Amino acid sequence: MKGLRYIVAVVAALMAVEASAWTCTQNRAILMLAEENLSGRAKRELSEILGTPLSEVKFANKGKSQTRLNESGKSVTTDEKDAVVKLERAIATLQRKDATAEERKAALLTAVEMTVDIHCPANVLIDKHLERDFVYQRDNGRPKHSRWFKLSERKWQAMWHNQYHKDHGAFSAEMYLYDWHIATKGMAKGYKREAVAPRVWAERTGERVFLALKTFQPDAVINMLEITKHEYLNDESMYDAAFHLANLLNKTLK
């Protein structure tokens, strides 16, 4: 019986880790891509502060810190618990010349995690459009009048947190990087001159959320193939996260 309890505990722990947004593998891929685009100076400074490469950073909040936009999709929040507010404060701390080593380390870890979080569509709430998580119905793609037709409940946030990862369950972080470069068709060229503007990043994620909400609504019945079609929004969001994080660190760690 003790052995069974141990197995159950281990499985539960693993499930808790995989509940992060995106998954741990996807997060590491984002950090790896960001790391590839860091300046030599930023890499050295980051290593001195954290004592570890960027790609090895672990997320304290499991990647679920949320940010809220107004009904027009603009980031105007001043809520101290909001991910974009936390990010702005972390950047301010990193820019302070009198910040202690401990303050800089905590701020850097927060900045990394919050940057990734505000790019995940699951973490964006929009006034009057998307106030909270919701359930929709997914059909299994079989003819509606056949005995094999089946509906199952799915959650909006879970789709972004792990649905697309489950579709690529065998992917390593390196495989994600290869896949993103193909799926995003060279988006990297558009990031070279982007300014550090966290609220603009959140709003850009919000634009993708608005696109998805044209299909996904509470209790809507959605074909499984339609869900697959939206994966490109997920890929673009992760790609954004990596390059915006690299730009942020290159500008701040100098």
Side-chain angles (χ1 to χ4, degrees), residues 7-252:
I7 293 173
V8 171
V10 170
V11 171
L14 289 173
M15 289 178 66
V17 170
E18 278 300 298
S20 61
W22 288 275
T23 65
C24 295
T25 304
Q26 289 168 304
N27 283 341
R28 183 164 185 267
I30 291 169
L31 298 186
M32 288 173 64
L33 182 55
E35 192 169 59
E36 289 178 8
N37 289 276
L38 289 180
S39 67
R41 185 168 185 172
K43 282 184 180 179
R44 290 191 297 272
E45 182 74 7
L46 186 145
S47 183
E48 288 177 8
I49 295 173
L50 298 183
T52 185
L54 177 61
S55 57
E56 300 301 324
V57 169
K58 306 299 181 184
F59 288 9
N61 296 320
K62 296 184 179 178
K64 288 192 175 183
S65 296
Q66 296 182 324
T67 190
R68 180 174 287 276
L69 307 178
N70 67 15
E71 60 184 295
S72 300
K74 299 299 181 182
S75 178
V76 296
T77 181
T78 58
D79 184 352
E80 293 183 2
K81 295 181 180 179
D82 192 277
V84 80
V85 175
K86 290 181 181 179
L87 174 55
E88 289 173 335
R89 292 189 175 186
I91 294 171
T93 298
L94 289 171
Q95 293 174 334
R96 276 176 41 214
K97 293 183 178 180
D98 62 339
T100 66
E102 291 77 12
E103 288 174 332
R104 285 177 63 76
K105 181 175 181 178
L108 182 53
L109 289 171
T110 296
V112 170
E113 184 168 356
M114 295 304 109
T115 298
V116 175
D117 282 357
I118 66 175
H119 285 86
C120 180
N123 293 333
V124 175
L125 300 175
I126 306 175
D127 291 341
K128 297 185 179 181
H129 297 280
L130 182 60
E131 300 282 354
R132 61 183 65 84
D133 199 7
F134 63 84
V135 173
Y136 64 91
Q137 303 288 323
R138 190 198 77 169
D139 77 52
N140 61 357
R142 299 298 181 90
K144 290 186 178 181
H145 300 295
S146 77
R147 64 176 181 174
W148 294 284
F149 177 76
K150 183 180 180 181
L151 289 177
S152 54
E153 288 190 347
R154 292 290 188 271
K155 287 190 174 183
W156 161 263
Q157 290 181 358
M159 179 177 70
W160 307 105
H161 284 312
N162 52 42
Q163 174 65 49
Y164 295 123
H165 176 65
K166 286 182 179 178
D167 292 343
H168 306 290
F171 269 27
S172 64
E174 290 78 9
M175 292 171 72
Y176 269 115
L177 293 183
Y178 179 77
D179 188 59
W180 293 345
H181 284 307
I182 296 174
T184 53
K185 299 178 181 178
M187 278 176 64
K189 295 178 182 178
Y191 294 101
K192 293 182 180 179
R193 292 184 296 274
E194 287 219 10
V196 177
R199 290 180 186 262
V200 173
W201 304 344
E203 290 168 3
R204 186 166 179 174
T205 306
E207 291 173 3
R208 295 189 176 114
V209 170
F210 274 122
L211 281 174
L213 287 177
K214 292 180 179 179
T215 299
F216 295 89
Q217 293 291 330
D219 300 320
V221 177
I222 302 171
N223 185 278
M224 60 187 299
L225 296 178
E226 190 65 33
I227 297 173
T228 302
K229 289 179 183 178
H230 286 76
E231 186 174 1
Y232 80 96
L233 295 175
N234 191 58
D235 288 341
E236 288 181 357
S237 295
M238 287 189 281
Y239 215 66
D240 264 355
F243 279 94
H244 289 158
L245 177 58
N247 287 339
L248 167 62
L249 296 178
N250 284 336
K251 182 174 181 178
T252 306

